[in-house]
Amino acid sequence: MCTSLVLLYNVEQAGMMWTHQHRGTGWSAGRCSWTVVSIILMSAVSTASTRSTLARGRSSSCTTAADCSFNGHCGLHTATGVCVCQAAWKGHRCSELNLLPVRHGTGYHATENGQNVSSWGGAVLQVGRGWTMWAAEMVGHCGLNTWTQNSQVVTATSTDPLSQPFVRDQVFLPVWAHEPDAIRGPDGEVVIMVTRATALEPITGGPGPGGPVCTTCSDGSTAKGCVSRNPFSPPDKYGKAMPTQMSYSRTASGQFTDPVTLFNASAGLPCRTAWWMPTPRSLNTWADTNLAGVILPNGTFVGIWRECSQTPPSGKTIHPVRASNWSDPKSYHWDTAPLFGDGPWGVGVDHPPPEDPFVWGPDVGGVFHALFHDKSCSGCGSHGFSTDGRVWQYTGIAYNATVIYDDGTVHTFAKRERPHLVFNGTEPIALTNGAMHSATSDATTTLLQPLGRGASM
């Protein structure tokens, strides 16, 4: 007989248990068939009581909210204290996202002329009674392998992201533009920060750092004949910088300003990816900075960027960034201290540095939070927090690449990166990611997965 305790445990461990079944090993709980178990599990996931159970820490003791990653509070009703997580979070330290099954058809999955269009994540803002997404999209029906050649930024809208897809509205920035982040200014402005280049580059032969736009792709996958130059090579070997720019408008549907450069990546040297390359100097940014942040009511910008690279070791490291005036590029201070402070990369000697930050806050307690694409495991994301926006604490893995759908099917993506949270007011309701379906094709989509909630939308 399947007890409720076993069922709830299996829901929380779905990334492991359901994958086991999906691979055809015939997993079952006691004498329950897979069909019965999946129905009961899905029913349990949809209830508020289950969400509350899953979001509650279990065994580790705590004394302060910091022990609960500031995503919950320390319940001191016992001698040691146990983390009681907000609905969107779970785990002993409230550092794991409480992800619910994905509804088929949600997210951003564009088609054009009957063919799939690959996208790579999107930043979402609540606008009026709906939500607007700024997404990176590959033109010419190409896949992610052409991101340094074919990427543009589009807008898409949804009236209810938990039940309705995002539908493309228009091209926001044509080729070449990538990795948009959308944030609110102190007076309600919509501020877009993006990696962007426009001038034709003699070395690469295109506006993108990877070369000319590829035109021989189909159905969202890159053709074998498309050759992308390595944008991280030295300048005399076809390398090209990727400037970080900003554009803003009083409203999401209003006229946006011409993009201005916040940081000119050409000021740096190439990534040091081999011992024979010159040691990079400070503020070496011959790469996309992944800039992300928030703007405070006083106009201060607090965020995270990555540099390529500090040595030792070689690679890309992430750092804090601040500006006294978000709209003045000259006021940005690009810190070169590792974001997490410990280890050469800031997260431990054996841990590759995370990338793709998404920043939100400060919350009611004045704490900033961030999600990252974490390179310590395939398709993983991690969480960190900061009480001042300068010194950050890494809390660990927040999600993985395995997704459960609302019909009980399970899929493990080959890649899951570019995390952004979707909010309804101040409540996080979903996670978006750029996701690659399989390792045999570079076709991608923008996935949206709901989060546990304290109240219905």
Side-chain angles (χ1 to χ4, degrees), residues 323-415:
S324 57
N325 179 356
W326 67 270
S327 63
D328 180 8
K330 294 181 181 179
S331 73
Y332 281 72
H333 174 69
W334 306 86
D335 202 331
T336 56
L339 189 74
F340 296 119
D342 57 336
W345 275 318
V347 289
V349 175
D350 298 324
H351 190 163
E355 62 175 5
D356 292 345
F358 169 73
V359 182
W360 73 100
D363 59 21
V364 292
V367 179
F368 298 90
H369 295 264
L371 289 175
F372 308 88
H373 166 224
D374 200 288
K375 294 183 178 180
S376 65
C377 53
S378 178
C380 292
S382 54
H383 170 262
F385 68 81
S386 172
T387 58
D388 61 6
R390 291 184 173 89
V391 179
W392 287 77
Q393 175 67 48
Y394 177 83
T395 64
I397 299 301
Y399 63 88
N400 60 30
T402 298
V403 169
I404 304 172
Y405 287 87
D406 58 357
D407 62 359
T409 58
V410 179
H411 182 72
T412 299
F413 288 91
K415 292 185 177 182

Side-chain angles (χ1 to χ4, degrees), residues 37-222:
V37 171
S38 65
I39 292 174
I40 297 174
L41 287 175
M42 296 309 302
S43 176
V45 167
S46 67
T47 65
S49 61
T50 298
R51 289 197 297 266
S52 176
T53 300
L54 292 179
R56 189 177 298 273
R58 296 232 196 284
S59 62
S60 297
S61 61
C62 62
T63 57
T64 68
D67 295 330
C68 305
S69 308
F70 290 102
N71 291 321
H73 68 273
C74 183
L76 299 178
H77 54 281
T78 62
T80 57
V82 176
C83 286
V84 179
C85 306
Q86 298 166 9
W89 298 90
K90 67 177 184 178
H92 304 316
R93 297 301 185 189
C94 302
S95 58
E96 304 168 42
L97 283 171
N98 183 21
L99 292 165
L100 303 181
V102 173
R103 182 167 181 169
H104 282 287
T106 57
Y108 178 60
H109 316 282
T111 59
E112 188 177 61
N113 299 325
Q115 297 189 58
N116 290 313
V117 176
S118 282
S119 60
W120 192 236
V124 179
L125 291 180
Q126 191 172 8
V127 179
R129 296 183 178 180
W131 284 259
T132 299
M133 174 185 289
W134 284 261
E137 181 183 272
M138 311 310 133
V139 302
H141 303 291
C142 289
L144 184 62
N145 290 348
T146 65
W147 75 269
T148 60
Q149 302 159 267
N150 285 35
S151 183
Q152 65 180 4
V153 173
V154 301
T155 58
T157 57
S158 174
T159 56
D160 179 1
L162 298 184
S163 63
Q164 301 297 322
F166 280 86
V167 178
R168 191 212 276 190
D169 181 24
Q170 64 182 350
V171 175
F172 181 76
L173 289 172
V175 175
W176 187 80
H178 197 61
E179 299 171 336
D181 191 31
I183 56 179
R184 286 287 186 182
D187 296 318
E189 301 95 337
V190 175
V191 183
I192 306 300
M193 296 182 173
V194 62
T195 303
R196 182 171 182 257
T198 56
L200 185 67
E201 174 59 49
I203 294 177
T204 65
V213 172
C214 185
T215 59
T216 58
C217 303
S218 64
D219 205 29
S221 297
T222 302

Side-chain angles (χ1 to χ4, degrees), residues 268-291:
L269 295 170
C271 293
R272 186 176 189 262
T273 56
W275 65 268
W276 48 265
M277 293 181 65
T279 301
R281 63 181 176 84
S282 180
L283 297 186
N284 170 24
T285 55
W286 198 272
D288 47 331
T289 63
N290 288 173
L291 180 63

